Amino acid sequence: MMSGILYYTHLNINQKQTFDLLATKGNSAIDHFSENKGLTEREKEILTIIFEGKSTKQIGVDLFISPGTVRNHISSIFQKTGTHSRMELVSEFNKA
């Protein structure tokens, strides 16, 4: 239980950094990152929602797709960005 709390605390810190970065770079930051990494429009949409801190299930509900389909898209995003977790994805975005 404690590690879950630490995970979400750490995730929220990185989310704040990402939101601050988005504010600094402007609205085109995700578009630019997505284009450079070769993400599809759907992957870009999911990336945006990931940065909002939503769970796989919540993303599925928002986009009217199954959690399995969300996981497939997230896996593709990880592969294209060379990351293995949402935390690494946020870090990679912050480097761009």
Side-chain angles (χ1 to χ4, degrees):
M1 186 70 153
M2 185 63 154
S3 64
I5 293 169
L6 293 174
Y7 171 78
Y8 283 110
T9 301
H10 191 239
L11 181 61
N12 288 337
I13 290 168
N14 279 322
Q15 285 175 327
K16 182 181 181 331
Q17 291 170 348
T18 301
F19 293 137
D20 291 346
L21 185 64
L22 285 171
T24 302
K25 288 186 169 185
N27 293 334
S28 65
I30 289 179
D31 291 336
H32 180 72
F33 180 80
S34 298
E35 185 177 318
N36 284 342
K37 300 297 182 179
L39 302 183
T40 66
E41 284 299 315
R42 185 58 124 182
E43 290 166 349
K44 181 174 74 171
E45 190 173 14
I46 290 173
L47 178 70
T48 302
I49 298 171
I50 287 171
F51 288 162
E52 292 172 3
K54 293 190 177 182
S55 70
T56 298
K57 184 176 179 179
Q58 291 169 320
I59 294 169
V61 169
D62 287 356
L63 299 178
F64 304 101
I65 58 178
S66 74
T69 301
V70 174
R71 281 190 293 275
N72 289 340
H73 284 297
I74 292 172
S75 177
S76 180
I77 291 168
F78 289 163
Q79 182 180 16
K80 290 178 180 181
T81 59
T83 59
H84 299 92
S85 70
R86 292 176 188 220
M87 297 301 295
E88 285 183 25
L89 184 60
V90 169
S91 178
E92 182 68 20
F93 179 78
N94 286 335
K95 292 178 191 175

Coordinates of all heavy atoms in Angstrom, one line a residue:
M1 N 0.8 -1.2 0.0 CA 0.0 0.0 0.0 C 0.9 1.2 0.0 O 0.6 2.2 -0.7 CB -0.9 0.0 1.2 CG -1.9 1.1 1.2 SD -3.1 0.8 -0.1 CE -4.5 1.7 0.5
M2 N 1.9 1.2 0.8 CA 2.8 2.4 0.9 C 3.4 2.7 -0.5 O 3.5 3.8 -0.8 CB 3.8 2.2 2.0 CG 4.7 3.4 2.2 SD 3.7 4.8 2.8 CE 4.9 5.7 3.7
S3 N 3.9 1.7 -1.2 CA 4.5 1.9 -2.5 C 3.5 2.6 -3.5 O 3.9 3.4 -4.3 CB 5.1 0.6 -3.0 OG 4.1 -0.3 -3.3
G4 N 2.3 2.2 -3.4 CA 1.3 2.8 -4.2 C 1.1 4.3 -4.0 O 1.0 5.1 -4.9
I5 N 1.2 4.6 -2.7 CA 1.1 6.1 -2.3 C 2.3 6.8 -2.9 O 2.2 7.9 -3.5 CB 1.0 6.2 -0.8 CG1 -0.4 5.7 -0.3 CG2 1.1 7.7 -0.4 CD1 -0.5 5.5 1.2
L6 N 3.5 6.2 -2.7 CA 4.7 6.8 -3.2 C 4.7 7.0 -4.7 O 5.1 8.0 -5.2 CB 6.0 6.1 -2.7 CG 6.2 6.1 -1.2 CD1 7.4 5.1 -0.9 CD2 6.5 7.5 -0.7
Y7 N 4.2 5.9 -5.3 CA 4.1 5.9 -6.8 C 3.3 7.1 -7.3 O 3.7 7.9 -8.1 CB 3.6 4.6 -7.3 CG 3.3 4.7 -8.8 CD1 4.3 4.5 -9.7 CD2 2.0 4.8 -9.3 CE1 4.0 4.6 -11.1 CE2 1.7 4.9 -10.6 CZ 2.7 4.8 -11.5 OH 2.4 4.8 -12.9
Y8 N 2.1 7.2 -6.7 CA 1.2 8.3 -7.2 C 1.7 9.7 -6.8 O 1.6 10.6 -7.5 CB -0.2 8.1 -6.6 CG -0.9 7.0 -7.4 CD1 -1.2 5.8 -6.9 CD2 -1.2 7.2 -8.8 CE1 -1.8 4.8 -7.6 CE2 -1.9 6.3 -9.5 CZ -2.2 5.0 -8.9 OH -2.8 4.1 -9.7
T9 N 2.4 9.8 -5.6 CA 3.0 11.0 -5.2 C 4.1 11.4 -6.2 O 4.1 12.5 -6.7 CB 3.6 10.9 -3.8 OG1 2.6 10.6 -2.9 CG2 4.3 12.2 -3.4
H10 N 4.9 10.4 -6.6 CA 6.0 10.7 -7.6 C 5.4 11.0 -9.0 O 5.8 11.9 -9.7 CB 6.9 9.5 -7.7 CG 8.1 9.8 -8.4 ND1 8.5 9.0 -9.6 CD2 9.1 10.7 -8.3 CE1 9.6 9.5 -10.0 NE2 10.0 10.5 -9.3
L11 N 4.3 10.3 -9.3 CA 3.6 10.6 -10.6 C 3.1 12.0 -10.6 O 3.2 12.7 -11.6 CB 2.5 9.5 -10.8 CG 1.7 9.6 -12.1 CD1 2.7 9.5 -13.3 CD2 0.6 8.6 -12.2
N12 N 2.5 12.4 -9.6 CA 1.9 13.7 -9.5 C 3.0 14.8 -9.7 O 2.7 15.8 -10.3 CB 1.1 13.9 -8.2 CG -0.2 13.2 -8.2 OD1 -0.7 12.8 -9.3 ND2 -0.7 12.9 -7.1
I13 N 4.1 14.6 -9.1 CA 5.2 15.6 -9.2 C 5.6 15.6 -10.7 O 5.8 16.7 -11.2 CB 6.4 15.2 -8.3 CG1 6.1 15.3 -6.9 CG2 7.7 16.0 -8.7 CD1 7.0 14.7 -5.9
N14 N 5.8 14.5 -11.3 CA 6.2 14.5 -12.7 C 5.1 15.1 -13.6 O 5.3 15.7 -14.6 CB 6.5 13.1 -13.2 CG 8.0 12.8 -12.8 OD1 8.8 13.6 -12.9 ND2 8.2 11.6 -12.5
Q15 N 3.8 14.9 -13.3 CA 2.7 15.5 -14.0 C 2.8 17.0 -13.9 O 2.6 17.7 -14.9 CB 1.4 15.0 -13.5 CG 1.0 13.6 -13.9 CD -0.2 13.1 -13.2 OE1 -0.6 13.5 -12.1 NE2 -1.0 12.3 -13.9
K16 N 3.0 17.5 -12.7 CA 3.1 18.9 -12.5 C 4.3 19.5 -13.4 O 4.1 20.5 -14.1 CB 3.4 19.3 -11.1 CG 3.4 20.8 -10.9 CD 3.7 21.2 -9.5 CE 3.7 22.7 -9.2 NZ 4.2 23.5 -10.3
Q17 N 5.4 18.8 -13.4 CA 6.5 19.2 -14.3 C 6.1 19.2 -15.7 O 6.4 20.1 -16.5 CB 7.7 18.3 -14.0 CG 8.4 18.4 -12.7 CD 9.4 17.3 -12.4 OE1 9.5 16.4 -13.1 NE2 10.2 17.5 -11.4
T18 N 5.4 18.2 -16.1 CA 4.9 18.1 -17.5 C 3.9 19.2 -17.8 O 4.0 19.9 -18.9 CB 4.2 16.7 -17.8 OG1 5.2 15.7 -17.5 CG2 3.8 16.6 -19.2
F19 N 3.0 19.5 -16.9 CA 2.0 20.6 -17.2 C 2.8 21.9 -17.3 O 2.4 22.7 -18.1 CB 0.9 20.6 -16.1 CG 0.0 19.4 -16.2 CD1 -0.4 18.8 -15.0 CD2 -0.5 18.9 -17.4 CE1 -1.2 17.7 -15.0 CE2 -1.3 17.8 -17.4 CZ -1.7 17.2 -16.2
D20 N 3.8 22.1 -16.4 CA 4.6 23.3 -16.4 C 5.3 23.4 -17.7 O 5.4 24.5 -18.4 CB 5.5 23.4 -15.3 CG 4.9 23.6 -13.9 OD1 3.7 23.9 -13.9 OD2 5.6 23.3 -12.9
L21 N 5.8 22.3 -18.2 CA 6.6 22.3 -19.5 C 5.6 22.6 -20.6 O 6.0 23.3 -21.5 CB 7.2 20.9 -19.7 CG 8.1 20.8 -20.9 CD1 9.3 21.7 -20.8 CD2 8.6 19.4 -21.0
L22 N 4.4 22.0 -20.6 CA 3.4 22.3 -21.6 C 3.1 23.7 -21.7 O 3.0 24.3 -22.7 CB 2.2 21.4 -21.4 CG 2.3 19.9 -21.7 CD1 1.0 19.2 -21.3 CD2 2.5 19.7 -23.2
A23 N 2.9 24.3 -20.5 CA 2.6 25.8 -20.4 C 3.7 26.6 -21.0 O 3.5 27.6 -21.7 CB 2.3 26.2 -19.0
T24 N 5.0 26.2 -20.7 CA 6.2 26.9 -21.2 C 6.3 26.7 -22.8 O 6.5 27.7 -23.5 CB 7.4 26.4 -20.6 OG1 7.3 26.6 -19.2 CG2 8.7 27.1 -21.1
K25 N 6.1 25.5 -23.2 CA 6.3 25.2 -24.7 C 5.1 25.6 -25.5 O 5.2 25.7 -26.7 CB 6.6 23.8 -24.9 CG 8.0 23.3 -24.4 CD 8.2 21.9 -24.8 CE 9.7 21.5 -24.6 NZ 9.9 20.1 -25.1
G26 N 4.0 25.8 -24.9 CA 2.8 26.0 -25.6 C 2.0 24.8 -26.0 O 2.4 23.7 -25.7
N27 N 0.9 24.9 -26.6 CA 0.0 23.8 -26.9 C 0.5 22.9 -28.0 O 0.1 21.8 -28.1 CB -1.4 24.3 -27.4 CG -2.1 25.1 -26.3 OD1 -1.9 24.8 -25.2 ND2 -3.0 26.0 -26.7
S28 N 1.6 23.3 -28.7 CA 2.1 22.4 -29.8 C 3.1 21.4 -29.3 O 3.6 20.6 -30.1 CB 2.7 23.3 -30.9 OG 3.8 24.0 -30.4
A29 N 3.4 21.4 -28.0 CA 4.5 20.5 -27.4 C 4.2 19.1 -27.7 O 5.1 18.3 -28.1 CB 4.7 20.8 -26.0
I30 N 3.0 18.7 -27.4 CA 2.6 17.3 -27.6 C 2.6 16.9 -29.1 O 3.0 15.9 -29.5 CB 1.3 16.9 -27.0 CG1 1.4 16.9 -25.4 CG2 0.7 15.6 -27.5 CD1 0.2 16.6 -24.6
D31 N 2.1 17.9 -29.9 CA 2.1 17.7 -31.4 C 3.5 17.5 -31.9 O 3.8 16.5 -32.7 CB 1.5 18.9 -32.1 CG 0.0 19.0 -31.9 OD1 -0.7 18.0 -31.6 OD2 -0.5 20.1 -32.0
H32 N 4.4 18.3 -31.4 CA 5.8 18.2 -31.9 C 6.5 16.9 -31.4 O 7.1 16.2 -32.2 CB 6.6 19.4 -31.3 CG 8.0 19.4 -31.7 ND1 8.5 19.7 -33.0 CD2 9.2 19.2 -31.0 CE1 9.8 19.6 -33.0 NE2 10.2 19.3 -31.8
F33 N 6.3 16.6 -30.2 CA 6.8 15.3 -29.6 C 6.2 14.1 -30.4 O 7.0 13.2 -30.8 CB 6.5 15.2 -28.1 CG 7.0 14.0 -27.4 CD1 8.3 13.9 -27.0 CD2 6.1 12.9 -27.2 CE1 8.8 12.7 -26.4 CE2 6.6 11.8 -26.5 CZ 7.9 11.7 -26.1
S34 N 4.9 14.1 -30.6 CA 4.3 13.0 -31.3 C 4.8 12.8 -32.7 O 5.0 11.7 -33.1 CB 2.7 13.2 -31.3 OG 2.2 13.2 -30.0
E35 N 4.9 14.0 -33.4 CA 5.4 13.9 -34.7 C 6.8 13.4 -34.8 O 7.2 12.5 -35.6 CB 5.4 15.3 -35.4 CG 5.7 15.3 -36.8 CD 5.6 16.7 -37.4 OE1 4.6 17.4 -37.1 OE2 6.5 17.1 -38.2
N36 N 7.7 13.8 -33.9 CA 9.1 13.4 -33.9 C 9.2 11.9 -33.5 O 10.2 11.3 -34.0 CB 9.9 14.2 -32.9 CG 10.2 15.6 -33.4 OD1 10.2 15.8 -34.6 ND2 10.6 16.5 -32.5
K37 N 8.3 11.4 -32.8 CA 8.3 10.0 -32.3 C 7.5 9.1 -33.3 O 7.5 7.9 -33.1 CB 7.9 9.8 -30.9 CG 8.7 10.6 -29.9 CD 10.1 10.1 -29.8 CE 10.9 10.8 -28.7 NZ 12.3 10.3 -28.6
G38 N 6.8 9.7 -34.2 CA 6.1 8.9 -35.2 C 4.8 8.3 -34.6 O 4.3 7.2 -35.0
L39 N 4.2 9.0 -33.7 CA 2.9 8.5 -33.1 C 1.7 8.8 -34.0 O 1.7 9.8 -34.7 CB 2.7 9.2 -31.7 CG 3.8 9.1 -30.6 CD1 3.3 9.7 -29.3 CD2 4.1 7.6 -30.4
T40 N 0.8 7.9 -33.9 CA -0.5 8.1 -34.7 C -1.3 9.1 -34.0 O -1.1 9.5 -32.8 CB -1.2 6.8 -34.8 OG1 -1.7 6.4 -33.5 CG2 -0.4 5.7 -35.5
E41 N -2.4 9.6 -34.6 CA -3.3 10.5 -34.0 C -3.9 9.9 -32.7 O -4.0 10.6 -31.7 CB -4.4 11.0 -35.0 CG -3.9 11.9 -36.0 CD -3.4 13.2 -35.4 OE1 -4.1 13.8 -34.5 OE2 -2.4 13.7 -35.9
R42 N -4.3 8.7 -32.8 CA -4.9 8.0 -31.6 C -3.9 7.9 -30.5 O -4.2 8.1 -29.3 CB -5.4 6.6 -32.0 CG -6.1 5.9 -30.8 CD -7.3 6.8 -30.4 NE -8.5 6.0 -30.4 CZ -9.7 6.4 -30.1 NH1 -9.9 7.7 -29.7 NH2 -10.8 5.7 -30.2
E43 N -2.6 7.6 -30.8 CA -1.6 7.5 -29.8 C -1.3 8.9 -29.2 O -1.1 9.0 -28.0 CB -0.3 6.9 -30.4 CG -0.4 5.4 -30.7 CD 0.7 4.9 -31.6 OE1 1.5 5.7 -32.2 OE2 0.8 3.7 -31.8
K44 N -1.4 9.9 -30.0 CA -1.2 11.3 -29.5 C -2.3 11.6 -28.5 O -2.1 12.2 -27.5 CB -1.1 12.3 -30.6 CG -0.9 13.7 -30.2 CD -0.7 14.6 -31.4 CE -2.0 14.9 -32.1 NZ -2.0 15.9 -33.1
E45 N -3.5 11.2 -28.9 CA -4.7 11.4 -28.0 C -4.5 10.7 -26.7 O -4.7 11.3 -25.6 CB -5.9 10.9 -28.8 CG -7.2 11.3 -28.2 CD -8.4 10.9 -29.0 OE1 -8.2 10.1 -30.0 OE2 -9.5 11.4 -28.7
I46 N -4.1 9.5 -26.7 CA -3.8 8.7 -25.5 C -2.7 9.3 -24.7 O -2.8 9.4 -23.5 CB -3.6 7.2 -25.8 CG1 -5.0 6.6 -26.3 CG2 -3.1 6.5 -24.6 CD1 -4.9 5.2 -26.8
L47 N -1.6 9.7 -25.4 CA -0.5 10.4 -24.7 C -1.0 11.6 -23.9 O -0.6 11.8 -22.7 CB 0.5 10.8 -25.7 CG 1.8 11.6 -25.2 CD1 2.7 10.6 -24.4 CD2 2.5 12.2 -26.4
T48 N -1.8 12.4 -24.5 CA -2.4 13.6 -23.8 C -3.1 13.2 -22.6 O -2.9 13.8 -21.5 CB -3.3 14.4 -24.8 OG1 -2.5 14.7 -25.9 CG2 -3.8 15.6 -24.1
I49 N -3.9 12.1 -22.7 CA -4.7 11.7 -21.5 C -3.8 11.1 -20.4 O -4.0 11.2 -19.3 CB -5.8 10.7 -21.9 CG1 -6.8 11.5 -22.9 CG2 -6.6 10.2 -20.7 CD1 -7.8 10.6 -23.6
I50 N -2.7 10.4 -20.9 CA -1.8 9.8 -19.9 C -1.2 11.0 -19.1 O -1.0 10.9 -17.9 CB -0.6 9.1 -20.6 CG1 -1.1 7.7 -21.2 CG2 0.6 8.9 -19.7 CD1 -0.2 7.0 -22.0
F51 N -0.9 12.1 -19.8 CA -0.3 13.2 -19.1 C -1.3 13.9 -18.1 O -0.9 14.7 -17.2 CB 0.3 14.2 -20.0 CG 1.5 13.8 -20.7 CD1 2.0 14.4 -21.9 CD2 2.3 12.8 -20.2 CE1 3.1 14.0 -22.5 CE2 3.5 12.3 -20.9 CZ 3.9 13.0 -22.0
E52 N -2.5 13.6 -18.3 CA -3.6 14.1 -17.3 C -3.6 13.2 -16.1 O -4.3 13.5 -15.1 CB -4.9 14.1 -18.0 CG -5.0 15.1 -19.1 CD -6.4 15.1 -19.8 OE1 -7.2 14.2 -19.5 OE2 -6.5 15.8 -20.8
G53 N -2.9 12.1 -16.1 CA -2.8 11.2 -15.0 C -3.9 10.2 -14.9 O -4.1 9.5 -13.8
K54 N -4.6 10.0 -16.0 CA -5.7 9.0 -15.9 C -5.2 7.6 -16.1 O -4.2 7.3 -16.7 CB -6.7 9.3 -17.0 CG -7.4 10.6 -16.8 CD -8.6 10.8 -17.7 CE -9.3 12.1 -17.4 NZ -10.5 12.3 -18.2
S55 N -6.0 6.6 -15.5 CA -5.6 5.2 -15.6 C -6.0 4.7 -16.9 O -6.7 5.3 -17.7 CB -6.4 4.5 -14.5 OG -7.8 4.4 -14.8
T56 N -5.5 3.5 -17.2 CA -5.9 2.8 -18.4 C -7.4 2.6 -18.6 O -7.9 2.9 -19.6 CB -5.2 1.4 -18.5 OG1 -3.8 1.6 -18.4 CG2 -5.6 0.6 -19.7
K57 N -8.0 2.2 -17.5 CA -9.5 2.1 -17.5 C -10.2 3.4 -17.8 O -11.1 3.5 -18.6 CB -10.0 1.5 -16.2 CG -11.4 1.3 -16.1 CD -11.9 0.6 -14.8 CE -13.4 0.4 -14.8 NZ -13.8 -0.2 -13.5
Q58 N -9.7 4.5 -17.2 CA -10.3 5.8 -17.4 C -10.1 6.3 -18.8 O -11.0 6.9 -19.4 CB -9.7 6.9 -16.4 CG -10.1 6.6 -15.0 CD -9.2 7.5 -14.1 OE1 -8.0 7.7 -14.2 NE2 -9.9 8.0 -13.0
I59 N -8.9 6.0 -19.4 CA -8.7 6.4 -20.8 C -9.6 5.6 -21.7 O -10.2 6.2 -22.6 CB -7.2 6.0 -21.2 CG1 -6.2 6.9 -20.4 CG2 -7.0 6.2 -22.7 CD1 -4.8 6.5 -20.5
G60 N -9.9 4.3 -21.4 CA -10.8 3.6 -22.2 C -12.2 4.1 -22.2 O -12.9 4.2 -23.2
V61 N -12.6 4.5 -21.0 CA -14.0 5.1 -20.8 C -14.1 6.4 -21.6 O -15.0 6.6 -22.3 CB -14.3 5.3 -19.3 CG1 -15.5 6.2 -19.2 CG2 -14.5 4.0 -18.6
D62 N -13.1 7.2 -21.5 CA -13.1 8.5 -22.2 C -13.1 8.4 -23.7 O -13.8 9.2 -24.4 CB -11.8 9.4 -21.8 CG -11.8 9.9 -20.4 OD1 -12.9 9.8 -19.7 OD2 -10.8 10.6 -20.0
L63 N -12.4 7.4 -24.2 CA -12.3 7.2 -25.7 C -13.2 6.1 -26.2 O -13.2 5.9 -27.4 CB -10.9 6.9 -26.0 CG -9.8 7.9 -25.7 CD1 -8.4 7.5 -26.1 CD2 -10.2 9.3 -26.3
F64 N -14.0 5.5 -25.4 CA -15.0 4.5 -25.8 C -14.3 3.3 -26.4 O -14.7 2.8 -27.5 CB -16.1 5.0 -26.7 CG -16.8 6.2 -26.1 CD1 -16.5 7.5 -26.5 CD2 -17.8 6.0 -25.2 CE1 -17.2 8.6 -25.9 CE2 -18.5 7.0 -24.6 CZ -18.2 8.3 -25.0
I65 N -13.2 2.9 -25.8 CA -12.4 1.7 -26.3 C -12.1 0.8 -25.1 O -12.2 1.3 -23.9 CB -11.1 2.1 -27.0 CG1 -10.2 2.9 -26.2 CG2 -11.4 2.8 -28.3 CD1 -8.8 3.3 -26.8
S66 N -11.8 -0.4 -25.3 CA -11.5 -1.4 -24.2 C -10.2 -1.1 -23.6 O -9.3 -0.5 -24.2 CB -11.6 -2.8 -24.7 OG -10.4 -3.1 -25.4
P67 N -10.0 -1.5 -22.3 CA -8.7 -1.3 -21.6 C -7.6 -2.1 -22.4 O -6.5 -1.6 -22.4 CB -9.0 -1.9 -20.2 CG -10.4 -1.7 -20.0 CD -11.1 -1.9 -21.3
G68 N -8.0 -3.2 -23.0 CA -7.0 -3.9 -23.7 C -6.5 -3.1 -24.9 O -5.3 -3.1 -25.2
T69 N -7.4 -2.5 -25.6 CA -7.0 -1.6 -26.7 C -6.1 -0.4 -26.2 O -5.1 -0.1 -26.9 CB -8.2 -1.1 -27.5 OG1 -9.0 -2.2 -27.9 CG2 -7.8 -0.2 -28.7
V70 N -6.5 0.1 -25.1 CA -5.7 1.2 -24.5 C -4.3 0.7 -24.2 O -3.3 1.3 -24.6 CB -6.3 1.8 -23.2 CG1 -5.4 2.8 -22.6 CG2 -7.6 2.4 -23.5
R71 N -4.2 -0.5 -23.6 CA -2.9 -1.1 -23.3 C -2.0 -1.3 -24.6 O -0.8 -1.1 -24.6 CB -3.0 -2.4 -22.5 CG -3.3 -2.2 -21.1 CD -3.2 -3.5 -20.3 NE -4.3 -4.4 -20.6 CZ -5.5 -4.4 -20.1 NH1 -5.8 -3.5 -19.2 NH2 -6.4 -5.3 -20.5
N72 N -2.7 -1.8 -25.7 CA -2.0 -1.9 -26.9 C -1.4 -0.6 -27.4 O -0.3 -0.5 -27.9 CB -2.9 -2.6 -28.0 CG -3.2 -4.0 -27.7 OD1 -2.5 -4.7 -27.0 ND2 -4.3 -4.5 -28.3
H73 N -2.2 0.4 -27.4 CA -1.7 1.8 -27.8 C -0.6 2.3 -26.9 O 0.4 2.8 -27.4 CB -2.9 2.8 -27.8 CG -3.8 2.7 -28.9 ND1 -3.5 2.8 -30.2 CD2 -5.2 2.4 -28.9 CE1 -4.5 2.7 -31.0 NE2 -5.6 2.4 -30.3
I74 N -0.7 2.1 -25.6 CA 0.3 2.5 -24.7 C 1.6 1.7 -25.0 O 2.7 2.3 -25.0 CB -0.1 2.4 -23.2 CG1 -1.2 3.4 -22.9 CG2 1.0 2.6 -22.3 CD1 -1.9 3.2 -21.6
S75 N 1.5 0.4 -25.2 CA 2.7 -0.4 -25.6 C 3.4 0.2 -26.8 O 4.6 0.3 -26.9 CB 2.2 -1.8 -25.7 OG 3.3 -2.6 -26.1
S76 N 2.6 0.5 -27.8 CA 3.1 1.1 -29.0 C 3.8 2.4 -28.8 O 4.9 2.7 -29.3 CB 2.0 1.3 -30.1 OG 2.5 1.8 -31.3
I77 N 3.2 3.3 -27.9 CA 3.8 4.5 -27.5 C 5.1 4.3 -26.9 O 6.1 5.0 -27.2 CB 2.8 5.4 -26.6 CG1 1.6 5.8 -27.4 CG2 3.6 6.6 -26.0 CD1 0.5 6.3 -26.5
F78 N 5.2 3.4 -25.9 CA 6.4 3.0 -25.2 C 7.5 2.6 -26.2 O 8.6 3.0 -26.2 CB 6.2 1.9 -24.2 CG 5.5 2.4 -23.0 CD1 4.9 1.4 -22.1 CD2 5.3 3.7 -22.6 CE1 4.2 1.7 -21.0 CE2 4.6 4.0 -21.5 CZ 4.1 3.1 -20.7
Q79 N 7.1 1.7 -27.2 CA 8.1 1.2 -28.2 C 8.6 2.4 -29.0 O 9.8 2.5 -29.2 CB 7.4 0.2 -29.0 CG 8.3 -0.4 -30.1 CD 7.7 -1.5 -30.9 OE1 6.4 -1.5 -31.0 NE2 8.5 -2.3 -31.6
K80 N 7.7 3.2 -29.5 CA 8.1 4.3 -30.4 C 9.0 5.4 -29.7 O 9.8 6.1 -30.3 CB 6.9 5.0 -31.0 CG 6.2 4.1 -32.0 CD 5.0 4.8 -32.6 CE 4.3 3.8 -33.6 NZ 3.1 4.5 -34.2
T81 N 8.8 5.5 -28.3 CA 9.5 6.5 -27.6 C 10.7 6.0 -26.8 O 11.5 6.7 -26.2 CB 8.6 7.2 -26.6 OG1 8.0 6.3 -25.7 CG2 7.5 8.0 -27.3
G82 N 10.9 4.6 -26.9 CA 12.0 4.0 -26.2 C 11.8 4.0 -24.7 O 12.8 4.0 -24.0
T83 N 10.6 4.0 -24.2 CA 10.3 4.0 -22.8 C 9.7 2.7 -22.4 O 9.2 1.9 -23.2 CB 9.5 5.2 -22.4 OG1 8.2 5.1 -23.2 CG2 10.1 6.5 -22.7
H84 N 9.6 2.5 -21.1 CA 9.0 1.3 -20.6 C 7.9 1.5 -19.5 O 7.4 0.6 -19.0 CB 10.1 0.4 -20.0 CG 11.1 0.0 -21.0 ND1 12.3 0.7 -21.2 CD2 11.1 -1.1 -21.9 CE1 13.0 0.1 -22.2 NE2 12.3 -0.9 -22.6
S85 N 7.7 2.8 -19.2 CA 6.7 3.1 -18.2 C 6.2 4.5 -18.4 O 6.8 5.3 -19.1 CB 7.3 3.0 -16.8 OG 8.2 4.1 -16.6
R86 N 5.1 4.8 -17.7 CA 4.6 6.2 -17.8 C 5.5 7.2 -17.3 O 5.7 8.3 -17.8 CB 3.2 6.3 -17.1 CG 2.1 5.5 -17.8 CD 0.8 5.5 -17.1 NE -0.1 4.5 -17.7 CZ -1.4 4.8 -17.8 NH1 -1.9 5.9 -17.4 NH2 -2.2 3.9 -18.4
M87 N 6.3 6.8 -16.2 CA 7.2 7.7 -15.6 C 8.4 8.0 -16.6 O 8.8 9.2 -16.8 CB 7.8 7.1 -14.3 CG 6.8 6.9 -13.2 SD 6.0 8.4 -12.7 CE 7.4 9.3 -12.1
E88 N 8.9 7.0 -17.3 CA 9.9 7.2 -18.3 C 9.4 8.0 -19.5 O 10.1 8.9 -20.0 CB 10.4 5.9 -18.8 CG 11.3 5.1 -17.9 CD 11.8 3.8 -18.6 OE1 11.9 3.7 -19.8 OE2 12.2 2.9 -17.8
L89 N 8.1 7.8 -19.8 CA 7.5 8.6 -20.9 C 7.5 10.1 -20.5 O 7.8 10.9 -21.4 CB 6.1 8.1 -21.1 CG 5.3 8.7 -22.3 CD1 6.0 8.5 -23.6 CD2 3.9 8.1 -22.4
V90 N 7.1 10.4 -19.3 CA 7.0 11.8 -18.9 C 8.5 12.4 -18.9 O 8.7 13.5 -19.4 CB 6.4 11.9 -17.5 CG1 6.7 13.3 -16.9 CG2 5.0 11.6 -17.5
S91 N 9.4 11.6 -18.5 CA 10.8 12.0 -18.5 C 11.3 12.3 -19.9 O 12.0 13.3 -20.2 CB 11.7 11.0 -17.8 OG 13.0 11.4 -17.8
E92 N 11.0 11.4 -20.8 CA 11.4 11.5 -22.2 C 10.7 12.8 -22.8 O 11.4 13.5 -23.6 CB 11.0 10.3 -23.0 CG 11.4 10.3 -24.5 CD 12.9 10.2 -24.7 OE1 13.6 9.8 -23.8 OE2 13.3 10.6 -25.8
F93 N 9.5 13.0 -22.5 CA 8.8 14.2 -23.0 C 9.5 15.5 -22.4 O 9.6 16.5 -23.2 CB 7.3 14.2 -22.6 CG 6.5 15.4 -23.0 CD1 6.1 15.5 -24.3 CD2 6.3 16.4 -22.1 CE1 5.4 16.6 -24.7 CE2 5.6 17.5 -22.5 CZ 5.1 17.7 -23.8
N94 N 9.9 15.4 -21.2 CA 10.5 16.6 -20.6 C 11.9 16.9 -21.2 O 12.3 18.1 -21.2 CB 10.7 16.4 -19.1 CG 9.4 16.6 -18.3 OD1 8.5 17.2 -18.8 ND2 9.3 15.9 -17.2
K95 N 12.5 15.9 -21.8 CA 13.8 16.1 -22.4 C 13.6 16.7 -23.8 O 14.6 17.3 -24.3 CB 14.5 14.8 -22.6 CG 15.0 14.1 -21.3 CD 15.6 12.8 -21.7 CE 15.9 12.0 -20.4 NZ 16.4 10.6 -20.8
A96 N 12.5 16.5 -24.4 CA 12.3 16.9 -25.8 C 12.2 18.5 -25.9 O 11.9 19.2 -25.0 CB 11.0 16.3 -26.4

